[in-house]
Amino acid sequence: MRKETGEQFRRQWGNVLENLAIVILAFYPLRHIQWGLDLGDTGYNYANFQYMGTEHMDSMWLFSTYLANAVGHLLMKLPNGNTLMGINLYTGLFAAALGFIGYFFCTRKLKMPKVIVFAGEMTALSLCWCPTASFYNYLTYLFFLISSVLLYLGLTGERKGCLVGAGAFLGANVLVRFSNLPQMGMILAVWAYDFICMLDEKAAVKRKTDNRSQDRPGAAGRPEGFWRRTIRHTLWCLAGYGAALGALFAYIHIRYGIGAYMEGIGRLFAMTDKATDYKPMAMVGKILGWYWQEMYWVARIGVILAGGMALFAIAGWLEGALAGRFPGKHRGFSILMRVLWTGVSIAMIVWLWVRGFTSGYYYSYDPIWHPGPVFLMLTMAIGLIRIFHPRAPKEEKLISGMLILIILLTSLGSNNGILPSLNNLFLAAPYTLWQSWRFLRYGGERRLKGGLTLSFFPAKGVLTAFLALCLFQFGAFGVHFAFAEGTGIQNPVAAVDNNAVLRNIKMDPEKAQWMRELSAYANENELQGREVILYGEIPAISYYLQMPSAFNPWCDLDSYSLETMRQDLRELEGEIGEKGEDKAVIILERTYALYREGALEGQAVSAAEEESGLSKEAWEAMNADPKWRLLLEFMETFGYAETFRNGKFAVYR
């Protein structure tokens, strides 16, 4: 009776703790929804959600991230979805969904310990450096995760519907972000798993033959042909992939016309002439270069590990020799070696910190810049070990291979190197911690020839130290970091009280002052709803001031070509001249206003350059920017005059 009561209590207490973990996973991604202000990516994406369509969006961006824009547009219609805090909450819930799916899949299907999985999901959420406003990323990760889960269930359970569903989510992901096309590479997991199944079945039949079994090798014993099984699984996946793409393309054709879609995607391929970092070889080279760069740290950690393994091998041999001569006098030797190596492992953490492997600047990428890639390399190394381990179950080989593919494929299609892979560890982080825990718990010693003993204690010490450093740094990074202009937000203590979109958003006092002054001017002159042209890395102003872009909120991006901007300005000129429409308001970043002022007044370039605070190289780059020169001509043609300027912005009407 007492045993049953104790078991019941443990079960109830376990349920309470799991429910608490679920609540934490739900709210943790929302920890920074009040933090701002990002003048780049955040407001740019939200402006595209609010003003979705070919009238105010670049068709290339509309169609290359169509589903993300469509879902984002729907989120804007939810209660308070028209405020920055509200839409941050709604997009943040998609990050929470990633944590939920990863947690339940790993605990329920892969049978990983719940505590380890929770730690892994918190690690994955902490490494979500990208703002949830970049919704095409998080919707990509969500569809990719769902597809991976369905693929695993379909292959291990021979479920046709799951395989079709996996293909459908991968197909739909192409419409979330066109550069998700490489995710088709997940079909390699299908082929590899079918090959492993064939080998296992042949081995089983061989064992029966060797044991002279009397059973007939019927359906249960005869191995199914590799090609037959693989073709069947592949066709199921392709059926879902093609059906999803076909349905979405049909909708786009009805709504916009397939010609408009092809024109937008065609420009996506053409943009690499200017934005060279989006070229396939450039992206792959950046990924490989990053991993190669991290070999500097891997090699040094490897030297420490190799030295420890050699030291323990020698110590084991000495211990055996002492045991033969002085029975009972050698027992403290092993304990002394373990204590010594524990100290070495701790010293390794200190050495890594001092040498710049990581840092305490948690508002920047520094804490994860090197530990993150090495963590990815550790995950892939563990995956390869488990794939080729002769006693690893085929299901474990499958998930190991899938994780390697997920890490590699996630970064393809991005110019951010391996950072996207760090943002998508909802299966990989729990897996790495789980496999590491198994090694720490069950890894022992192995006898070698010549009387030597291979001890895994040095590897355990180094692994524990590295993971402890990673978990601390990743967690601290997650608590402190919130994206803004490519780095983290600092000093979020001030608010803007005269802007409905920015209500309750905390930001740096200087940014708050800039936005307060600009919002006051916009309110006084009733600019809300007026079309705007923005230049100078300030696309978010379109959303914050509720002013739809005349053609593209971020026209100074390299991916927005000079020829496209020339065509858009020409159309705008026609609307102003022929239709008599109001001129679009132009808002420049202050540096560009200083440049224009200097050019108009004939100032020496050095004077304007000195006032702007830019380096000579940056000033020369601005001077050589053809799109900026084109906008200057447009402003001169239509007689734009400056009507407002503060420490960051200048308005022309």
Side-chain angles (χ1 to χ4, degrees), residues 273-445:
D273 293 337
K274 177 68 174 176
T276 55
D277 53 341
Y278 277 101
K279 288 186 176 181
M281 291 307 298
M283 290 187 287
V284 172
K286 190 171 185 178
I287 294 169
L288 295 178
W290 202 324
Y291 284 126
W292 176 252
Q293 173 185 318
E294 297 310 319
M295 288 302 297
Y296 172 90
W297 299 104
V298 172
R300 280 149 181 79
I301 295 173
V303 168
I304 295 173
L305 174 59
M309 300 291 281
L311 182 63
F312 268 68
I314 295 172
W317 177 80
L318 287 175
E319 189 175 24
L322 289 173
R325 292 195 172 195
F326 309 102
K329 301 293 184 181
H330 64 286
R331 293 176 181 174
F333 191 70
S334 177
I335 297 175
L336 178 62
M337 288 298 298
R338 289 171 180 259
V339 171
L340 173 64
W341 191 254
T342 300
V344 171
S345 300
I346 296 173
M348 183 189 76
I349 296 178
V350 177
W351 177 78
L352 287 172
W353 189 291
V354 171
R355 290 297 303 271
F357 181 70
T358 186
S359 80
Y361 299 109
Y362 298 113
Y363 56 84
S364 71
Y365 294 107
D366 289 355
I368 67 168
W369 197 256
H370 297 299
V374 177
F375 186 85
L376 293 178
M377 295 168 78
L378 173 65
T379 301
M380 291 188 285
I382 292 174
L384 286 173
I385 290 172
R386 298 311 297 169
I387 288 172
F388 293 103
H389 196 288
R391 291 192 297 274
K394 60 184 179 182
E395 294 82 5
E396 189 176 332
K397 293 177 185 287
L398 172 61
I399 193 64
S400 299
M402 287 174 62
L403 289 175
I404 294 174
L405 286 173
I406 290 171
I407 290 173
L408 295 176
L409 294 175
T410 297
S411 291
L412 290 178
S414 169
N415 65 341
N416 289 317
I418 63 172
L419 287 177
S421 296
L422 284 177
N423 213 130
N424 187 26
L425 295 181
F426 298 95
L427 291 182
Y431 171 88
T432 304
L433 297 182
W434 173 54
Q435 294 286 8
S436 298
W437 172 76
R438 292 173 67 188
F439 172 71
L440 294 175
R441 185 175 182 181
Y442 300 112
E445 298 179 341

Side-chain angles (χ1 to χ4, degrees), residues 263-280:
E263 187 272 336
I265 296 302
R267 283 184 44 223
L268 181 69
F269 285 100
M271 78 174 184
T272 55
D273 293 337
K274 177 68 174 176
T276 55
D277 53 341
Y278 277 101
K279 288 186 176 181

Side-chain angles (χ1 to χ4, degrees), residues 40 68 143 147 165 209 217 277 358 369 413 444 458 495 506 624:
F143 280 19
S147 174
T209 303
D277 53 341
T358 186
W369 197 256
K506 301 295 183 182

Side-chain angles (χ1 to χ4, degrees), residues 39-87:
L39 297 174
D41 291 89
T42 298
Y44 172 60
N45 285 285
Y46 289 157
N48 288 329
F49 295 170
Q50 185 167 22
Y51 304 115
M52 180 186 175
T54 54
E55 182 179 1
H56 300 295
M57 281 187 71
D58 180 10
S59 63
M60 180 188 74
W61 192 252
L62 170 65
F63 293 121
S64 64
T65 57
Y66 182 76
L67 269 184
N69 294 318
V71 176
H73 185 69
L74 293 176
L75 295 177
M76 284 277 182
K77 297 182 180 298
L78 296 176
N80 291 317
N82 59 343
T83 67
L84 180 57
M85 184 174 172
I87 193 65

Side-chain angles (χ1 to χ4, degrees), residues 44 58 60 267 271 273-275 533-537 551-570 573 586-588 592 595-596 620-636:
Y44 172 60
D58 180 10
M60 180 188 74
R267 283 184 44 223
M271 78 174 184
D273 293 337
K274 177 68 174 176
I533 299 174
L534 302 163
Y535 208 87
E537 304 289 330
F551 40 79
N552 185 332
W554 206 338
C555 51
D556 39 332
L557 271 181
D558 285 345
S559 56
Y560 181 67
S561 70
L562 173 64
E563 186 54 41
T564 303
M565 183 173 177
R566 181 178 285 113
Q567 180 180 342
D568 288 338
L569 283 175
R570 191 177 297 122
E573 289 174 1
I586 294 179
I587 302 179
L588 303 178
Y592 287 87
Y595 181 101
R596 180 175 184 271
E620 290 175 350
M622 186 189 306
N623 189 53
D625 180 1
K627 286 191 289 187
W628 167 233
R629 308 291 299 183
L630 189 64
L631 183 58
L632 276 177
E633 293 175 9
F634 177 83
M635 295 174 71
E636 293 305 311

